[in-house]
Amino acid sequence: MMRKKPEDFSALSHCPIRNVLDRFGDKWSILVILVLGENKDAMRFNELAQTIGDISQKMLTVTLRTLEADGMVVRKHYPEIPPRVEYDLTDLGKSLLPHVEGLVQWAVKNYDSITKARKKFAARKQLV
């Protein structure tokens, strides 16, 4: 793998960190990708909302549209009454799963250390 130089990241249009990875820095995108990745079948909107739990309908809609625009999620509309819409990961979205799962494993492994550090930091800030 060829290492990038700092100047390679200076232009937004050419910077993969800001241009691509920034889209996953929100609160919901990675979680939606994980939930879709855990299911073998496509999921309906309400299934996604119920599985995630605390996401608003508006935020789920925005997140799904963003992931669809980036080619991570495919939306399939069935012309039935009532209408049915399902979401699934594309091959591109599926290719991201091992990396996301690695991040999840790291977060679980280090959660206690991180929460302890946060408490220590907060206590130190109260003394100032």
Side-chain angles (χ1 to χ4, degrees):
M1 182 171 105
M2 194 167 109
R3 300 291 268 166
K4 295 269 188 184
K5 298 175 191 151
E7 58 269 16
D8 292 337
F9 300 107
S10 62
L12 176 60
S13 63
H14 295 76
C15 179
I17 293 170
R18 288 185 280 177
N19 195 335
V20 176
L21 297 181
D22 187 50
R23 294 291 283 258
F24 304 113
D26 65 64
K27 185 176 179 179
W28 303 110
S29 293
I30 296 295
L31 190 55
V32 168
I33 289 169
L34 280 169
V35 169
L36 287 172
E38 288 178 354
N39 287 281
K40 301 226 185 288
D41 298 321
M43 294 182 75
R44 295 180 77 169
F45 186 91
N46 287 338
E47 287 179 284
L48 275 166
Q50 289 172 352
T51 302
I52 295 170
D54 59 343
I55 189 169
S56 70
Q57 183 174 359
K58 179 181 178 182
M59 200 65 239
L60 182 55
T61 299
V62 168
T63 302
L64 286 166
R65 285 183 183 162
T66 300
L67 292 172
E68 184 181 8
D70 285 346
M72 301 289 164
V73 169
V74 64
R75 177 185 186 270
K76 183 152 185 186
H77 177 266
Y78 296 90
E80 304 171 347
I81 298 178
R84 179 170 52 115
V85 178
E86 293 180 341
Y87 298 89
D88 205 355
L89 290 179
T90 62
D91 288 341
L92 184 62
K94 289 174 186 173
S95 74
L96 181 60
L97 275 175
H99 307 288
V100 172
E101 289 167 350
L103 180 60
V104 168
Q105 290 172 5
W106 180 89
V108 169
K109 179 180 175 185
N110 293 288
Y111 181 75
D112 289 340
S113 297
I114 292 167
T115 55
K116 285 177 189 173
R118 287 177 181 169
K119 287 178 185 176
K120 184 178 176 182
F121 181 81
R124 193 174 77 226
K125 292 299 279 184
Q126 289 178 351
L127 295 174
V128 175

